[in-house]
Amino acid sequence: KTVKNTYKATTWQIKFKLDAVEPSGSYKLRLALASAAQAELQVRVNNPDRNIPAIFSTGLIGKDNAIGRHGIHGLYWLFSVEILGSSLVTGNNTIYLTQADATGPLQGIMYDYIRFEGI
């Protein structure tokens, strides 16, 4: 919520270090969402700029009252996001998760787990 009583997108950062990266390889980001309420989750790697297209977007999902918790009818969402090795660097990396649809106080996402895998 902003000082003008409007709402804006929220971005979380997952920072991690890689000792080695296979540039031609493929990695998986597993996102298990416990619930979503009129939300859109966008994933970016090593560049938080929202003017650049996300490598993954859920689109608008959920009518589960994830924030209000007025019921027990949440749905489980599982996403596997392919991340190309060329998007990663040896050393410090950051995955940016943005809840992009922000027009009211009861929109949001609750995650169950987040896992990053090299395959």
PDB file of all heavy atoms in Angstrom, residues 8 13-14 19 21 35 37 41 51 53-54 57 64 75 79 88 92 103 107 114:
ATOM      1  N   LYS A   8       0.691  -1.155  -5.205  1.00  0.00           N
ATOM      2  CA  LYS A   8       1.660  -1.363  -6.275  1.00  0.00           C
ATOM      3  C   LYS A   8       2.232  -2.769  -6.185  1.00  0.00           C
ATOM      4  O   LYS A   8       2.127  -3.434  -5.157  1.00  0.00           O
ATOM      5  CB  LYS A   8       2.778  -0.321  -6.214  1.00  0.00           C
ATOM      6  CG  LYS A   8       3.661  -0.414  -4.997  1.00  0.00           C
ATOM      7  CD  LYS A   8       4.753   0.632  -5.042  1.00  0.00           C
ATOM      8  CE  LYS A   8       5.714   0.436  -3.899  1.00  0.00           C
ATOM      9  NZ  LYS A   8       6.859   1.319  -4.002  1.00  0.00           N
ATOM     10  N   GLN A  13      13.018 -11.084  -3.485  1.00  0.00           N
ATOM     11  CA  GLN A  13      14.288 -11.517  -4.060  1.00  0.00           C
ATOM     12  C   GLN A  13      14.759 -12.804  -3.386  1.00  0.00           C
ATOM     13  O   GLN A  13      14.699 -12.923  -2.168  1.00  0.00           O
ATOM     14  CB  GLN A  13      15.363 -10.456  -3.849  1.00  0.00           C
ATOM     15  CG  GLN A  13      15.070  -9.146  -4.513  1.00  0.00           C
ATOM     16  CD  GLN A  13      16.158  -8.122  -4.236  1.00  0.00           C
ATOM     17  OE1 GLN A  13      17.302  -8.483  -3.939  1.00  0.00           O
ATOM     18  NE2 GLN A  13      15.813  -6.859  -4.328  1.00  0.00           N
ATOM     19  N   ILE A  14      15.223 -13.725  -4.218  1.00  0.00           N
ATOM     20  CA  ILE A  14      15.880 -14.928  -3.710  1.00  0.00           C
ATOM     21  C   ILE A  14      17.321 -14.841  -4.191  1.00  0.00           C
ATOM     22  O   ILE A  14      17.590 -14.952  -5.388  1.00  0.00           O
ATOM     23  CB  ILE A  14      15.216 -16.209  -4.249  1.00  0.00           C
ATOM     24  CG1 ILE A  14      13.743 -16.246  -3.868  1.00  0.00           C
ATOM     25  CG2 ILE A  14      15.958 -17.439  -3.734  1.00  0.00           C
ATOM     26  CD1 ILE A  14      12.973 -17.343  -4.557  1.00  0.00           C
ATOM     27  N   ASP A  19      28.612 -21.981  -7.579  1.00  0.00           N
ATOM     28  CA  ASP A  19      30.051 -22.191  -7.771  1.00  0.00           C
ATOM     29  C   ASP A  19      30.391 -22.414  -9.238  1.00  0.00           C
ATOM     30  O   ASP A  19      31.500 -22.120  -9.670  1.00  0.00           O
ATOM     31  CB  ASP A  19      30.535 -23.379  -6.939  1.00  0.00           C
ATOM     32  CG  ASP A  19      30.425 -23.104  -5.447  1.00  0.00           C
ATOM     33  OD1 ASP A  19      30.520 -21.923  -5.041  1.00  0.00           O
ATOM     34  OD2 ASP A  19      30.239 -24.067  -4.684  1.00  0.00           O
ATOM     35  N   VAL A  21      28.291 -22.766 -13.367  1.00  0.00           N
ATOM     36  CA  VAL A  21      27.070 -22.725 -14.169  1.00  0.00           C
ATOM     37  C   VAL A  21      27.351 -23.399 -15.499  1.00  0.00           C
ATOM     38  O   VAL A  21      28.406 -23.176 -16.106  1.00  0.00           O
ATOM     39  CB  VAL A  21      26.613 -21.266 -14.416  1.00  0.00           C
ATOM     40  CG1 VAL A  21      25.442 -21.221 -15.378  1.00  0.00           C
ATOM     41  CG2 VAL A  21      26.264 -20.576 -13.117  1.00  0.00           C
ATOM     42  N   SER A  35      -1.963 -20.962  -2.253  1.00  0.00           N
ATOM     43  CA  SER A  35      -3.187 -20.237  -2.523  1.00  0.00           C
ATOM     44  C   SER A  35      -2.859 -18.975  -3.301  1.00  0.00           C
ATOM     45  O   SER A  35      -1.742 -18.466  -3.245  1.00  0.00           O
ATOM     46  CB  SER A  35      -3.864 -19.890  -1.192  1.00  0.00           C
ATOM     47  OG  SER A  35      -5.160 -19.408  -1.403  1.00  0.00           O
ATOM     48  N   ALA A  37      -4.974 -15.221  -4.770  1.00  0.00           N
ATOM     49  CA  ALA A  37      -6.199 -14.425  -4.832  1.00  0.00           C
ATOM     50  C   ALA A  37      -5.992 -13.289  -5.818  1.00  0.00           C
ATOM     51  O   ALA A  37      -5.286 -12.326  -5.517  1.00  0.00           O
ATOM     52  CB  ALA A  37      -6.556 -13.877  -3.458  1.00  0.00           C
ATOM     53  N   LEU A  41       1.846 -13.887 -10.754  1.00  0.00           N
ATOM     54  CA  LEU A  41       3.235 -14.058 -10.343  1.00  0.00           C
ATOM     55  C   LEU A  41       4.129 -14.028 -11.572  1.00  0.00           C
ATOM     56  O   LEU A  41       3.921 -14.774 -12.524  1.00  0.00           O
ATOM     57  CB  LEU A  41       3.422 -15.383  -9.603  1.00  0.00           C
ATOM     58  CG  LEU A  41       4.837 -15.669  -9.116  1.00  0.00           C
ATOM     59  CD1 LEU A  41       5.261 -14.651  -8.068  1.00  0.00           C
ATOM     60  CD2 LEU A  41       4.937 -17.072  -8.571  1.00  0.00           C
ATOM     61  N   ASN A  51      10.072  -3.619 -17.199  1.00  0.00           N
ATOM     62  CA  ASN A  51       9.862  -3.257 -18.597  1.00  0.00           C
ATOM     63  C   ASN A  51      10.356  -4.344 -19.553  1.00  0.00           C
ATOM     64  O   ASN A  51      10.045  -4.323 -20.730  1.00  0.00           O
ATOM     65  CB  ASN A  51      10.548  -1.924 -18.914  1.00  0.00           C
ATOM     66  CG  ASN A  51       9.902  -0.776 -18.158  1.00  0.00           C
ATOM     67  OD1 ASN A  51       8.686  -0.686 -18.088  1.00  0.00           O
ATOM     68  ND2 ASN A  51      10.719   0.063 -17.569  1.00  0.00           N
ATOM     69  N   PRO A  53      10.229  -8.302 -20.514  1.00  0.00           N
ATOM     70  CA  PRO A  53       9.294  -9.404 -20.257  1.00  0.00           C
ATOM     71  C   PRO A  53       9.855 -10.423 -19.260  1.00  0.00           C
ATOM     72  O   PRO A  53      11.038 -10.751 -19.281  1.00  0.00           O
ATOM     73  CB  PRO A  53       9.109 -10.044 -21.637  1.00  0.00           C
ATOM     74  CG  PRO A  53       9.455  -8.968 -22.607  1.00  0.00           C
ATOM     75  CD  PRO A  53      10.522  -8.146 -21.941  1.00  0.00           C
ATOM     76  N   ALA A  54       8.972 -10.915 -18.412  1.00  0.00           N
ATOM     77  CA  ALA A  54       9.349 -11.946 -17.449  1.00  0.00           C
ATOM     78  C   ALA A  54       9.625 -13.250 -18.184  1.00  0.00           C
ATOM     79  O   ALA A  54       9.074 -13.499 -19.248  1.00  0.00           O
ATOM     80  CB  ALA A  54       8.225 -12.139 -16.437  1.00  0.00           C
ATOM     81  N   SER A  57       5.222 -16.099 -16.367  1.00  0.00           N
ATOM     82  CA  SER A  57       4.111 -15.421 -15.708  1.00  0.00           C
ATOM     83  C   SER A  57       2.956 -16.403 -15.572  1.00  0.00           C
ATOM     84  O   SER A  57       2.657 -17.149 -16.507  1.00  0.00           O
ATOM     85  CB  SER A  57       3.664 -14.204 -16.518  1.00  0.00           C
ATOM     86  OG  SER A  57       2.506 -13.640 -15.926  1.00  0.00           O
ATOM     87  N   ASP A  64      -9.054 -17.525  -4.159  1.00  0.00           N
ATOM     88  CA  ASP A  64      -8.970 -18.371  -2.977  1.00  0.00           C
ATOM     89  C   ASP A  64      -8.990 -17.632  -1.641  1.00  0.00           C
ATOM     90  O   ASP A  64      -8.828 -18.253  -0.612  1.00  0.00           O
ATOM     91  CB  ASP A  64      -7.682 -19.203  -3.010  1.00  0.00           C
ATOM     92  CG  ASP A  64      -7.567 -20.061  -4.239  1.00  0.00           C
ATOM     93  OD1 ASP A  64      -8.577 -20.247  -4.928  1.00  0.00           O
ATOM     94  OD2 ASP A  64      -6.465 -20.532  -4.508  1.00  0.00           O
ATOM     95  N   LEU A  75      -6.680 -23.440  -3.337  1.00  0.00           N
ATOM     96  CA  LEU A  75      -6.281 -24.405  -4.344  1.00  0.00           C
ATOM     97  C   LEU A  75      -4.769 -24.452  -4.422  1.00  0.00           C
ATOM     98  O   LEU A  75      -4.099 -23.462  -4.151  1.00  0.00           O
ATOM     99  CB  LEU A  75      -6.857 -24.024  -5.717  1.00  0.00           C
ATOM    100  CG  LEU A  75      -8.369 -24.001  -5.810  1.00  0.00           C
ATOM    101  CD1 LEU A  75      -8.797 -23.512  -7.184  1.00  0.00           C
ATOM    102  CD2 LEU A  75      -8.945 -25.384  -5.553  1.00  0.00           C
ATOM    103  N   PHE A  79       4.013 -24.978 -10.419  1.00  0.00           N
ATOM    104  CA  PHE A  79       4.614 -24.492 -11.656  1.00  0.00           C
ATOM    105  C   PHE A  79       6.066 -24.932 -11.720  1.00  0.00           C
ATOM    106  O   PHE A  79       6.775 -24.913 -10.709  1.00  0.00           O
ATOM    107  CB  PHE A  79       4.557 -22.956 -11.727  1.00  0.00           C
ATOM    108  CG  PHE A  79       3.167 -22.405 -11.695  1.00  0.00           C
ATOM    109  CD1 PHE A  79       2.620 -21.914 -10.523  1.00  0.00           C
ATOM    110  CD2 PHE A  79       2.393 -22.382 -12.846  1.00  0.00           C
ATOM    111  CE1 PHE A  79       1.333 -21.397 -10.491  1.00  0.00           C
ATOM    112  CE2 PHE A  79       1.104 -21.874 -12.827  1.00  0.00           C
ATOM    113  CZ  PHE A  79       0.572 -21.379 -11.649  1.00  0.00           C
ATOM    114  N   LEU A  88      22.140 -17.387 -15.974  1.00  0.00           N
ATOM    115  CA  LEU A  88      22.802 -17.432 -14.674  1.00  0.00           C
ATOM    116  C   LEU A  88      24.281 -17.119 -14.817  1.00  0.00           C
ATOM    117  O   LEU A  88      24.850 -17.221 -15.900  1.00  0.00           O
ATOM    118  CB  LEU A  88      22.610 -18.821 -14.051  1.00  0.00           C
ATOM    119  CG  LEU A  88      21.162 -19.244 -13.841  1.00  0.00           C
ATOM    120  CD1 LEU A  88      21.085 -20.728 -13.523  1.00  0.00           C
ATOM    121  CD2 LEU A  88      20.517 -18.417 -12.746  1.00  0.00           C
ATOM    122  N   ASN A  92      27.162 -14.688  -7.584  1.00  0.00           N
ATOM    123  CA  ASN A  92      25.876 -14.260  -7.038  1.00  0.00           C
ATOM    124  C   ASN A  92      24.798 -14.116  -8.115  1.00  0.00           C
ATOM    125  O   ASN A  92      25.035 -13.516  -9.159  1.00  0.00           O
ATOM    126  CB  ASN A  92      26.039 -12.933  -6.297  1.00  0.00           C
ATOM    127  CG  ASN A  92      26.940 -13.074  -5.084  1.00  0.00           C
ATOM    128  OD1 ASN A  92      26.916 -14.094  -4.414  1.00  0.00           O
ATOM    129  ND2 ASN A  92      27.739 -12.063  -4.821  1.00  0.00           N
ATOM    130  N   THR A 103      -4.252  -4.106  -7.244  1.00  0.00           N
ATOM    131  CA  THR A 103      -5.263  -3.057  -7.255  1.00  0.00           C
ATOM    132  C   THR A 103      -6.053  -2.993  -5.955  1.00  0.00           C
ATOM    133  O   THR A 103      -6.878  -2.110  -5.786  1.00  0.00           O
ATOM    134  CB  THR A 103      -6.250  -3.252  -8.435  1.00  0.00           C
ATOM    135  OG1 THR A 103      -6.849  -4.537  -8.325  1.00  0.00           O
ATOM    136  CG2 THR A 103      -5.534  -3.128  -9.772  1.00  0.00           C
ATOM    137  N   GLN A 107      -5.417  -9.014  -2.608  1.00  0.00           N
ATOM    138  CA  GLN A 107      -4.757  -9.769  -3.672  1.00  0.00           C
ATOM    139  C   GLN A 107      -3.429 -10.278  -3.162  1.00  0.00           C
ATOM    140  O   GLN A 107      -2.714  -9.556  -2.463  1.00  0.00           O
ATOM    141  CB  GLN A 107      -4.519  -8.877  -4.882  1.00  0.00           C
ATOM    142  CG  GLN A 107      -5.792  -8.458  -5.577  1.00  0.00           C
ATOM    143  CD  GLN A 107      -5.501  -7.461  -6.654  1.00  0.00           C
ATOM    144  OE1 GLN A 107      -5.255  -6.314  -6.359  1.00  0.00           O
ATOM    145  NE2 GLN A 107      -5.524  -7.916  -7.887  1.00  0.00           N
ATOM    146  N   ILE A 114       9.457 -23.335  -2.571  1.00  0.00           N
ATOM    147  CA  ILE A 114      10.193 -22.861  -3.743  1.00  0.00           C
ATOM    148  C   ILE A 114      11.483 -23.659  -3.787  1.00  0.00           C
ATOM    149  O   ILE A 114      12.187 -23.762  -2.779  1.00  0.00           O
ATOM    150  CB  ILE A 114      10.511 -21.355  -3.625  1.00  0.00           C
ATOM    151  CG1 ILE A 114       9.199 -20.553  -3.525  1.00  0.00           C
ATOM    152  CG2 ILE A 114      11.350 -20.882  -4.802  1.00  0.00           C
ATOM    153  CD1 ILE A 114       9.406 -19.089  -3.199  1.00  0.00           C
TER     154      ILE A 114
END
